Amino acid sequence: MVAAFERPETMSAVVCHGPENYKLETLPVPAVEDGQLLIRVEAVGVCASDLKCYHGAAKFWGDENRPAWAQEGVTPGHELVGTIVEATDAALAHHGVKVGERIACEQIVPCGECRYCQRGQYWMCGPHDMFGFRNYNGAMAEYMLVPIKARVHRVSADLPPAHAAFAEPLACSLHAVERAGITFDDVVVVAGCGPIGLGMVAGAKAKNPMTVIALDMSDHKLDLARKCGADITINISREDAVEKIKELTDGYGADVYIEGTGHPSAVKQGLNLLRKLGTYVEYSVFGSDVTVDWSIISDDKELNVLGAHLGPHCWPAAIKMIESGILPLDEICTDQFPLEKFQEALDKVADSSGESVKVSILPN
């Protein structure tokens, strides 16, 4: 066992007791067992999926027999960064890390045994255990255990904690961009300029297509999209995005549409603004069912419709992008709260009327 701190007996942690019933509690600091790391949590981002889970509206597990919220008794929080303070030798060797180093963890804890894991498709793991949602406590706590099955990445200690924790949403954004198969002559449209959408804009720009277009209803977020690489921005509260994009493409429509809003209207918008044989990538978690005219996808346009889930294989690129300083993270990471104000953090994410973009909790 290797340790770099004087272990306290207790810690503060948020615990899920059901929809809209999260409580800050005093719990024992978890004991480190074979194959585990203990991290002192520096920052945890609050995601729209956290909010949907909090309200019991997110159908995360794809199974009607499972609850539509985080498992009761679990500490939420999956966009995390922390410093290793205690670990077994086996855990350090397995992850290739040292006590005292800062790490981020992928949100899924793959089983390693199911068909998907055996084929290297770990992000589609059958049991689909995830930090903060199912079977593994997340980072809305002062300390958190990292099991040997977790996927760990080193992050520079020079970054502000909230910036370092942005690696998780950015990796997700980059995976959605990878799914799109963007080429040099593409017109790419990103719907939504929240944390995920801004990462999609930056990722799409890095692919060097002909044009990157960002859509949102907030001028402030559209300004941020320009700083992340958008060539053109459209405020859909004032302009018809479908009409405008067809004007920009000689009437054909965009080549690629990446949806990052989670709003049902954005689905129809994307299908209508794409050209024939275009590509639609859906990333969002929806709080309700979405109905569209499937004949647009088939008979009318023969579209490629793809899903995107988590951020597999994109973490090194996301961390490199954050460490490079290319993103305006001081303007993206707008709000940080102490752990005891976790409810204010959730409420801030729910409030779409302000200029907040990325909300984080700093437990320590």
Side-chain angles (χ1 to χ4, degrees):
M1 185 75 68
V2 183
F5 79 132
E6 187 174 341
R7 165 183 282 273
E9 291 185 1
T10 62
M11 67 174 185
S12 295
V14 178
V15 179
C16 169
H17 293 282
E20 300 183 6
N21 187 12
Y22 286 16
K23 296 178 181 178
L24 185 65
E25 300 181 4
T26 300
L27 302 175
V29 173
V32 176
E33 298 179 356
D34 192 36
Q36 294 178 331
L37 309 172
L38 181 69
I39 64 170
R40 183 177 185 268
V41 181
E42 296 179 54
V44 54
V46 183
C47 176
S49 62
D50 288 318
L51 187 67
K52 289 171 181 173
C53 232
Y54 171 75
H55 289 299
K59 298 177 181 177
F60 276 100
W61 315 119
D63 183 342
E64 292 181 357
N65 296 318
R66 293 180 178 178
W69 53 84
Q71 189 177 49
E72 291 186 27
V74 166
T75 292
H78 62 283
E79 298 181 4
L80 64 102
V81 66
T83 300
I84 303 169
V85 293
E86 189 174 298
T88 65
D89 291 331
L92 295 174
H94 175 80
H95 294 296
V97 294
K98 300 176 183 178
V99 167
E101 287 188 319
R102 174 189 266 180
I103 61 168
C105 301
E106 297 191 31
Q107 62 276 60
I108 193 165
V109 183
C111 72
E113 299 175 1
C114 70
R115 171 186 291 185
Y116 303 104
C117 287
Q118 289 294 311
R119 293 179 176 180
Q121 301 158 333
Y122 71 91
W123 67 101
M124 283 292 149
C125 173
H128 225 74
D129 294 334
M130 300 176 75
F131 286 118
F133 294 120
R134 184 171 175 81
N135 289 340
Y136 290 95
N137 287 320
M140 290 188 193
E142 292 179 285
Y143 295 91
M144 190 189 95
L145 282 176
V146 177
I148 202 161
K149 292 180 180 180
R151 299 180 68 90
V152 166
H153 302 273
R154 282 191 295 270
V155 186
S156 170
D158 296 331
L159 295 170
H163 294 192
F166 194 69
E168 192 278 334
L170 183 56
C172 293
S173 301
L174 298 186
H175 177 53
V177 169
E178 289 275 73
R179 291 283 283 160
I182 294 168
T183 61
F184 294 129
D185 60 349
D186 280 342
V187 173
V188 181
V189 177
V190 174
C193 295
I196 292 291
L198 291 172
M200 291 170 174
V201 169
K205 187 66 174 181
K207 292 290 186 179
N208 202 29
M210 187 65 66
T211 309
V212 178
I213 302 173
L215 311 180
D216 204 280
M217 298 177 70
S218 163
D219 287 332
H220 172 66
K221 290 179 180 178
L222 290 170
D223 286 342
L224 280 177
R226 283 190 174 274
K227 293 179 181 180
C228 289
D231 301 297
I232 297 170
T233 59
I234 299 173
N235 188 317
I236 62 170
S237 68
R238 296 195 298 266
E239 294 186 86
D240 185 325
V242 176
E243 182 180 316
K244 180 72 174 178
I245 288 166
K246 287 189 175 180
E247 287 177 6
L248 294 168
T249 57
D250 297 324
Y252 287 100
D255 303 284
V256 174
Y257 180 83
I258 308 177
E259 202 288 301
T261 71
H263 195 283
S265 65
V267 179
K268 181 179 179 180
Q269 171 183 262
L271 297 178
N272 287 331
L273 64 76
L274 280 169
R275 65 164 171 82
K276 294 180 179 181
L277 303 175
T279 298
Y280 180 115
V281 179
E282 182 57 65
Y283 178 81
S284 296
V285 176
F286 291 90
S288 58
D289 292 339
V290 180
T291 301
V292 296
D293 180 359
W294 276 75
S295 62
I296 299 173
I297 298 167
S298 56
D299 185 56
D300 189 5
K301 294 185 177 182
E302 197 176 316
L303 299 176
N304 297 309
V305 179
L306 303 168
H309 178 55
L310 306 184
H313 308 303
C314 293
W315 281 74
I319 292 168
K320 180 181 178 182
M321 187 177 287
I322 291 169
E323 292 176 346
S324 75
I326 194 172
L327 298 175
L329 285 172
D330 284 333
E331 297 176 74
I332 293 173
C333 298
T334 50
D335 300 88
Q336 291 88 47
F337 291 87
L339 188 59
E340 60 267 23
K341 295 186 177 180
F342 76 91
Q343 188 63 56
E344 291 183 37
L346 287 167
D347 294 342
K348 178 67 76 170
V349 174
D351 180 10
S352 60
S353 62
E355 294 190 349
S356 294
V357 182
K358 187 67 211 173
V359 176
S360 301
I361 294 170
L362 309 182
N364 283 286

